[in-house]
Amino acid sequence: MILRDPERKILQLEESNFLSVEVVCHVLLMHHCSLISGLFSLSFQPENLQKTWLREFYQVSHTTHKPHFLAVHCQEVGGKNYEASMSHVDCFVKELLSSDAMKEYSRARVYLDENYKSQEHFTALGSFYFIHESLKNIHQFDFKAKKFKKVVGKETYSDTLESTPSLEKEKFPQDYFPECKWSRKGFIRTRWALADCAFDLVNIHLFHDASNLVAWEKSPSVYSGTRQKALGYVLDRITDQRFERLPYFVFGDFNFRLDSKQVIETFCSTATMQTVRAADTNEVDKLIFRESDNDRKVVLQLEKKLFSYVNQDVFRENNGTSLLEYDKELSVFKDRLHELEISFPPSYPYSEDSSQGKQYMNTRCPAWCDRILLSASARDLVLKPENEEKSVVYDNIGPNVCMGDHKPVFLSFRITAGAGKPNANKHKCCVVQ
């Protein structure tokens, strides 16, 4: 089965004597509720990769955190060969819905954008929501009727998600990223209510770096500016006047990159640069940075799709946190988006060799592309209660095994019913049906 490169995040909620949310599979209304948000990149080329991925997923979501509301956000469903792979995606979804591990999830909503023949609308996004049988009172918002409706049964939507009232979906205009002939980037938004706590979940996929050579030309890069424009558009869209404003969680592949110019200048501070140009066009084809002494050892080779640095350990030692000072793209939105402390290595680009679970590919500078971001009111919901240990977890999944080129990221936390800023999380103006 091939569900290629769906980067996923998971949200869940769990039940107890109070509402609490925890990253990695938990959430429940009026009871203990946990929220898990995990970003997965699947590449089911060898069949054992699917088994590995599911094993790690079930370990985190079902053994460790045992969620009651589970949300999984995917990007690039079907991968680059989506025409040939969509049938495999459908098989995977059916298997997941009917698996023994998911048997206690009596309700589900699956949204798959599989309409690849529509250049105007196709985003290749997929959003999965699983609701545990013990969660008695959960509602989903109907954006057309402008009211919440109780969630019952299992339903899957695909092809024409534009007409599905339980979500909002948009693809970014082509002129946002003209370097790509046909971009599939966009977002899907759903809205949920647990007791008196309601929130938005936004599945997002922003633009990548088309060329390492272009990315390093200036600080910040031109690609950073493109992502900023698209993310700003999404935030404006989900906080406009059409609907009541609620706490929101935005999670997916933001494609945030380290500031390439500053990283390379740091890595190669004592090196000399050699420029290699294409014979036919005289355009820069490769940059080679060599030590001034030490037998002119090559420190870094940079091409359009090559980032070969001599010491990959710098991205793994202490989870690469020494490089977080170059992770600057979120700072533009510091008044609108918040994030828990990052304590895991860069999530991309990992090797897809099943024997190289911790190795990065030499295609891009490793970066924290996959994130879980929160509005200020959502952050208030997630704040760790003083008497709760490990009530909030922000981490990755499968750190030592191959999970595809993106390492899944998840957020687990607990919320108390009625928590957050006054009225910000109450659907008082919405009719529950």
Side-chain angles (χ1 to χ4, degrees), residues 165-332:
S166 53
L167 60 80
E168 285 195 316
K169 167 181 166 289
E170 283 195 46
K171 176 179 176 178
F172 298 123
Q174 187 62 45
D175 60 8
Y176 271 38
F177 197 63
E179 291 89 345
C180 187
K181 292 181 180 179
W182 182 21
S183 173
R184 299 182 292 279
K185 306 302 191 290
F187 74 94
I188 288 178
R189 170 198 193 184
T190 58
R191 174 168 285 192
W192 302 84
L194 304 174
D196 61 349
C197 184
F199 48 82
D200 286 345
L201 303 181
V202 182
N203 183 354
I204 193 168
H205 194 187
L206 298 183
F207 303 102
H208 61 282
D209 280 14
S211 168
N212 292 323
L213 294 170
V214 173
W216 101 284
E217 288 177 351
K218 63 178 183 178
S219 173
S221 76
V222 62
Y223 304 120
S224 175
T226 303
R227 288 188 284 271
Q228 177 183 335
K229 178 181 178 182
L231 181 53
Y233 174 83
V234 173
L235 296 181
D236 290 343
R237 179 70 174 171
I238 65 176
T239 58
D240 61 21
Q241 300 302 314
R242 293 170 303 132
F243 307 102
E244 180 187 12
R245 291 188 181 184
L246 294 180
Y248 54 84
F249 300 85
V250 186
F251 52 104
D253 182 4
F254 293 84
N255 260 314
F256 288 163
R257 307 302 171 100
L258 303 185
D259 189 307
S260 293
K261 187 173 183 61
Q262 292 190 7
V263 168
I264 292 173
E265 288 176 350
T266 300
F267 284 176
C268 305
S269 59
T270 61
T272 57
M273 184 180 76
Q274 174 189 353
T275 302
V276 179
R277 297 181 179 273
D280 51 346
T281 64
N282 200 40
E283 293 183 353
V284 176
D285 190 51
K286 178 188 297 187
L287 299 176
I288 303 174
F289 297 83
R290 298 177 184 273
E291 291 284 11
S292 300
D293 48 18
N294 195 24
D295 295 327
R296 302 277 293 163
K297 179 181 179 181
V298 174
V299 178
L300 173 69
Q301 292 189 68
L302 194 71
E303 298 179 19
K304 180 178 181 180
K305 294 185 178 181
L306 176 70
F307 187 98
S308 181
Y309 182 55
V310 67
N311 180 23
Q312 267 205 11
D313 288 341
V314 70
F315 301 105
R316 293 186 289 259
E317 291 173 350
N318 194 30
N319 293 319
T321 52
S322 64
L323 300 174
L324 281 171
E325 64 177 297
Y326 306 110
D327 178 74
K328 301 179 177 181
E329 295 195 33
L330 187 56
S331 63
V332 177

Side-chain angles (χ1 to χ4, degrees), residues 8 71 96-97 118 125 128 149 177 224 243 287 308 321 335:
R8 307 181 168 233
L96 186 62
L97 287 171
S118 173
L125 291 172
F128 298 61
K149 297 181 179 180
F177 197 63
S224 175
F243 307 102
L287 299 176
S308 181
T321 52
D335 296 328

